[in-house]
Amino acid sequence: VTFAISCCNKGDDDQPKTELDKLPPATQTGANTAGCLVNGVAFLPKGYFSTGNLVCNYIDGKDFALDISERIIQGTNDNIRSIIVISENQNLHDNVGVTYQLKENALNSNSKFGAYIINATAPPAPNYYTTNSTITGELKITYHNYNNAILSGTFWFDAINSNGEIVKVREGRFDMHY
């Protein structure tokens, strides 16, 4: 008589193996998904925000804003982290496949920048990290469907705070209705 003992945990096969595996796939269907790695750790929209934890605006065919926010409440601590990618005054839909440099927030109508913000602080607070003229990144629109109001793309950037600390945002992707 032979007995075979087999143990298998089906749940393990469905679990992401790496932080990169936790990100949504880079689709072009209007899936309303986005995510990136922040210092190698998956960053995804999470938690309650009255305005939403994943917002994409593309206004007048030239002003683009992507905001991915995560809210974690632990006891009395309410921690909010956000990734923001902005491109102002640029017809992204006419330039699918073009790579745009994310640099400083020039506080004018032509800014293209990325930011990582902790607890909604503003510059020059140490919890506000942003690209600048030398610490940069890139935004690339990979798909645009005007009739269905879908924009998809990728991004990456380094961002620096007022203390000179750098955050590395990598493997960013979004597939959004606007």
Side-chain angles (χ1 to χ4, degrees):
V1 174
T2 305
F3 291 98
I5 299 175
S6 173
C7 178
C8 121
N9 185 344
K10 292 180 183 176
D12 287 347
D13 292 338
D14 296 334
Q15 296 300 315
K17 303 296 186 228
T18 68
E19 291 298 306
L20 185 60
D21 290 337
K22 295 177 184 178
L23 298 182
T27 56
Q28 299 178 337
T29 62
N32 288 326
T33 58
C36 60
L37 299 177
V38 175
N39 291 335
V41 178
F43 186 94
L44 300 161
K46 180 179 179 180
Y48 173 76
F49 292 83
S50 60
T51 56
N53 56 17
L54 179 55
V55 178
C56 179
N57 294 308
Y58 188 47
I59 301 167
D60 295 332
K62 60 182 178 180
D63 293 329
F64 170 79
L66 177 69
D67 183 345
I68 308 168
S69 296
E70 175 186 76
R71 183 177 204 165
I72 300 173
I73 300 173
Q74 296 173 327
T76 58
N77 294 330
D78 188 1
N79 292 305
I80 298 170
R81 300 183 310 148
S82 297
I83 294 288
I84 298 172
V85 178
I86 303 285
S87 174
E88 296 177 318
N89 201 27
Q90 181 68 56
N91 291 329
L92 300 176
H93 57 275
D94 290 337
N95 295 294
V96 171
V98 173
T99 300
Y100 298 95
Q101 288 290 302
L102 298 174
K103 294 183 177 182
E104 65 273 352
N105 180 357
L107 301 175
N108 64 33
S109 62
N110 291 312
S111 292
K112 288 173 187 37
F113 67 96
Y116 173 71
I117 305 166
I118 302 169
N119 293 328
T121 57
N127 282 345
Y128 186 92
Y129 298 76
T130 188
T131 55
N132 63 32
S133 61
T134 58
I135 308 295
T136 65
E138 295 179 344
L139 165 67
K140 183 175 185 178
I141 301 301
T142 58
Y143 178 78
H144 180 248
N145 183 316
Y146 178 80
N147 292 330
N148 293 317
I150 297 171
L151 266 176
S152 304
T154 60
F155 63 90
W156 71 267
F157 61 87
D158 291 338
I160 190 167
N161 70 4
S162 58
N163 293 336
E165 300 164 327
I166 294 178
V167 168
K168 295 185 176 296
V169 176
R170 297 292 185 268
E171 300 294 333
R173 73 254 335 242
F174 60 93
D175 180 19
M176 298 292 301
H177 282 273
Y178 58 88

